[in-house]
Amino acid sequence: MGEWLLADASVPRGARAQLEAQLLSLLAWQARLFTAGDSTSLPEETARSLLESVCFCLRVGEGFRPERWTELLETELTQAFEDGVRQLEQRVEYGKRLWLAACERLPPVENPSMQDTLRGIGTFFRRYDVRFFAHEIPCDIDYQLAIPVEPEQKGVDYVNRYLERLTLENEFLRRFTRAAMEPILRRYCPDYWGLLINLYEPVATNALGLALLGEPVEALAISPAACRRLRERFAGRNSAEIGTILDRAALRLSGETALCGAETAYLRTCAKGLAPRIEAAARYGGMDGIFLSP
């Protein structure tokens, strides 16, 4: 078991053997709990999963830092584990509040993928085993975000980060009417209702274009003439310059739509992500594939 027990490269080499011994003891304790005291012998796959859960709980105490492992050598590992479990339980309660709010504040346009994902996350809070399998995500999350959650996030941390970002996206979408959004979404994807697409990106992109041109953003539609103006605005500029222009547009759009600080930061990140696509479009084609006309 030792050859895979601490494959984490962040574990200091000098502390590896000592920490491995402590983790083996904690793993044996967890195995007895898992089998209700019947045995400490488990299939290797189950033991691996229990160990990953233990390490995840130990990491959460102060957030992950490479020196965290060294600090744990000077503590009672069982107590540190229990502290981690309690903090994860608090995060579960926070996640439940996020989930309820997300279910109550859906955007004006329906999307079965989003609704199915929210239903699935509802089952997560019933299935999640914070003590034995804290790193797992026992639900299906199919709806795509404009900014995906980092893959290193695990368990309830992944779900909470996902819900936070989904909330930011949907609060932005709720500032527009269904009548304004539907033509843009159908232009983006004729079956936007049935396919696994993100609703935020095409709406935010058009709103950014209109804000950049100084036109009202409520209608969302960008005319062919407006697309030509946008191409002229970006012509001859590199990705960094385009990113700066888009960032200013995001700030202007934030003011016009009264976004909160987190919503503005999310929008600015998405806006800068458009820069490489716009640079290529301005150089080799047109803006109509990015800024959409109904």
Side-chain angles (χ1 to χ4, degrees), residues 73-285:
L73 291 173
E74 302 173 1
T75 66
E76 172 57 48
L77 213 58
T78 301
Q79 185 59 51
F81 171 78
E82 292 294 340
D83 289 344
V85 169
R86 281 192 290 273
Q87 290 196 41
L88 287 175
E89 288 172 342
Q90 293 172 3
R91 296 180 190 182
V92 168
E93 293 306 310
Y94 168 67
K96 289 178 181 178
R97 294 193 296 272
L98 284 175
W99 174 72
L100 286 172
C103 292
E104 292 171 356
R105 296 185 63 81
L106 293 172
V109 289
E110 294 182 5
N111 183 273
S113 173
M114 183 189 298
Q115 294 168 342
D116 290 345
T117 292
L118 285 171
R119 277 193 290 269
I121 292 176
T123 68
F124 167 86
F125 294 111
R126 297 196 297 272
R127 298 174 179 173
Y128 185 54
D129 191 334
V130 70
R131 175 165 293 276
F132 295 113
F133 303 107
H135 62 295
E136 294 186 355
I137 306 171
C139 69
D140 294 325
I141 298 179
D142 295 326
Y143 180 74
Q144 300 178 27
L145 297 173
I147 305 177
V149 176
E150 297 80 3
E152 60 267 23
Q153 296 290 331
K154 299 180 183 298
V156 69
D157 288 346
Y158 182 98
V159 171
N160 286 358
R161 187 70 59 88
Y162 179 92
L163 287 170
E164 287 170 346
R165 295 184 181 182
L166 180 65
T167 297
L168 294 175
E169 293 188 8
N170 284 352
E171 287 302 316
F172 179 83
L173 294 175
R174 285 170 57 86
R175 286 169 166 81
F176 301 92
T177 66
R178 176 172 179 169
M181 284 191 286
E182 274 198 327
I184 304 305
L185 292 171
R186 291 192 185 281
R187 178 71 171 79
Y188 180 73
C189 176
D191 189 17
Y192 79 88
W193 191 85
L195 297 181
L196 299 178
I197 68 159
N198 176 259
L199 304 181
Y200 176 89
E201 184 178 356
V203 173
T205 299
N206 262 35
L208 283 167
L210 291 167
L212 178 60
L213 295 175
E215 297 187 4
V217 301
E218 292 81 6
L220 288 175
I222 293 183
S223 67
C227 276
R228 289 192 293 271
R229 290 169 57 200
L230 287 167
R231 182 179 182 183
E232 292 169 0
R233 188 71 175 269
F234 294 121
R237 299 184 184 275
N238 61 34
S239 184
E241 293 169 331
I242 293 171
T244 298
I245 294 172
L246 291 171
D247 189 55
R248 291 171 183 163
L251 290 172
R252 182 182 302 170
L253 176 58
S254 174
E256 292 183 11
T257 53
L259 301 184
C260 73
E263 292 170 332
T264 300
Y266 195 84
L267 177 64
R268 294 176 74 182
T269 300
C270 290
K272 291 179 180 178
L274 289 171
R277 290 175 53 202
I278 290 176
E279 181 186 19
R283 183 176 301 175
Y284 301 112

